[in-house]
Amino acid sequence: STNSFKDSGIKGTLILALVENIQETDENIRLILSNIKNLDKIKYHICSDVKLINIIVGIQSCSSKHPCPYCETNNLENVDTFTEDRTLGSIRHSASAYKSAGSNKKVAQHYTNCINQPLLTGDDHERILDICAPPELHLLQGIVKHVYDNMYKNWPHVSLWLDKINVKPTNYHHGSFVGNDCLRMLKNVDILQQMAESDDKHIIQKYVHILRCFYDVVKSCFGMTLDPQYDTYINQFKYAYKDMDITITPKVHILLMHVPDFITKHNRSLGWYSEQTLESVH
Ligand SMILES: [Zn+2]
């Protein structure tokens, strides 16, 4: 539709199947996907949470030694060197070797944590990044929550900021924030800064800075419009992040190491590949 060129554009969703009351386990997801026929006959991108991407491609969870669905890194803290990309072929090969060795989960890390054959059709050389789009909504939620949780450890009063801007953590997903609340937090960093200053909490300044840098990233390449400067903003976010003493999560890793690659290839912002539409990111 013509709306799709606006930030507020509504994307059409055509539901092919609905499954109720089942757990999002490896077995269940594999069962559902393997029953969708002819997936290889159409051009598609997988839109889902990182957790689900890992299941679909056949690797262990985000807490494993090689947690990234897009590359074989075993060190998330290193955001300066790229590790080998995961491809359908690399996972198929490692999963076969893992199986031949007896499918012992204790040694899965020796097989870059590939424990199942990918549920995706395609040639061996195809990269996971070219099939499974980085999920903007979950990157937004995961990164905002991680920064917020670290801020909370230093300054529990930060919850008053949430009250002031009318944001409530949701009960499911261990107190995370819905996407639009994450945006509201990013849009109201000035209020956070004022509150921290009047409370003499100088340590919060670096969180204020990182949230501003992250908001610049979100405005430049999340949603439906792409700012050609997105690469600069991602780099600024990277330097600000490295300057802080907080861990690089798989989602931060994906943003820093794989989102620029994905966007360069498609020359489109992440919203085009998202299953949900956020309200205006600006
Ligand atoms: Zn990676």
Side-chain angles (χ1 to χ4, degrees):
S1 80
T2 52
N3 278 339
S4 58
F5 293 101
K6 296 178 191 161
D7 261 326
S8 56
I10 306 298
K11 271 170 278 188
T13 302
L14 180 64
I15 297 174
L16 295 177
L18 264 181
V19 272
E20 290 183 290
N21 297 322
I22 67 154
Q23 283 188 305
E24 199 179 271
T25 61
D26 197 332
E27 288 75 19
N28 286 336
I29 301 299
R30 299 183 77 81
L31 185 65
I32 294 162
L33 280 181
S34 58
N35 276 294
I36 300 177
K37 304 275 191 264
N38 299 325
L39 203 53
D40 53 330
K41 303 260 181 357
I42 51 167
K43 186 165 163 43
Y44 64 93
H45 274 93
I46 299 283
C47 309
S48 85
D49 193 358
V50 182
K51 180 186 166 195
L52 200 52
I53 293 178
N54 282 21
I55 291 175
I56 291 167
V57 303
I59 68 169
Q60 286 185 308
S61 79
C62 282
S63 57
S64 68
K65 181 84 179 158
H66 305 82
C68 179
Y70 303 121
C71 77
E72 297 187 343
T73 184
N74 62 6
N75 180 12
L76 294 178
E77 295 301 321
N78 181 352
V79 288
D80 296 308
T81 32
F82 289 95
T83 317
E84 191 90 3
D85 283 323
R86 287 194 194 268
T87 61
L88 287 175
S90 74
I91 296 176
R92 283 170 185 151
H93 178 83
S94 297
S96 298
Y98 170 77
K99 195 177 174 195
S100 309
S103 299
N104 178 0
K105 285 193 176 164
K106 281 182 189 144
V107 297
Q109 62 168 287
H110 300 313
Y111 303 90
T112 61
N113 298 92
C114 299
I115 55 166
N116 284 304
Q117 290 296 320
L119 284 169
L120 303 164
T121 55
D123 292 336
D124 277 357
H125 70 268
E126 286 185 48
R127 300 188 309 161
I128 303 305
L129 186 64
D130 296 332
I131 308 169
C132 302
E136 63 161 7
L137 176 65
H138 298 103
L139 295 183
L140 174 70
Q141 289 177 300
I143 294 170
V144 165
K145 177 167 166 55
H146 186 61
V147 174
Y148 179 83
D149 287 350
N150 277 281
M151 199 159 39
Y152 186 87
K153 277 187 230 156
N154 284 290
W155 186 47
H157 269 87
V158 67
S159 62
L160 297 175
W161 172 50
L162 297 188
D163 295 342
K164 203 162 191 170
I165 62 174
N166 205 15
V167 164
K168 284 192 179 63
T170 58
N171 288 326
Y172 60 95
H173 292 156
H174 320 291
S176 70
F177 305 103
V178 298
N180 288 332
D181 277 353
C182 292
L183 289 176
R184 186 176 297 173
M185 290 162 76
L186 294 177
K187 289 173 184 177
N188 286 286
V189 171
D190 288 354
I191 295 175
L192 169 67
Q193 185 174 22
Q194 287 158 15
M195 291 175 73
E197 277 170 6
S198 58
D199 216 9
D200 258 344
K201 278 286 169 189
H202 302 294
I203 194 170
I204 298 304
Q205 183 53 41
K206 60 181 184 174
Y207 293 97
V208 165
H209 180 56
I210 194 87
L211 288 172
R212 286 204 176 112
C213 289
F214 184 49
Y215 188 33
D216 285 339
V217 171
V218 169
K219 281 186 291 186
S220 71
C221 63
F222 286 43
M224 303 303 284
T225 51
L226 181 63
D227 177 341
Q229 293 294 308
Y230 71 90
D231 217 13
T232 307
Y233 293 125
I234 290 177
N235 264 317
Q236 284 170 354
F237 174 71
K238 176 168 125 177
Y239 294 122
Y241 201 97
K242 280 170 70 176
D243 210 33
M244 307 208 346
D245 205 15
I246 64 177
T247 54
I248 308 257
T249 64
K251 285 170 187 165
V252 173
H253 163 88
I254 289 171
L255 177 67
L256 298 181
M257 307 302 279
H258 303 300
V259 165
D261 190 355
F262 183 85
I263 292 179
T264 305
K265 176 157 183 170
H266 298 282
N267 200 27
R268 274 189 168 174
S269 52
L270 295 180
W272 290 88
Y273 303 90
S274 168
E275 75 284 25
Q276 288 171 57
T277 307
L278 290 163
E279 64 188 34
S280 174
V281 299
H282 291 277

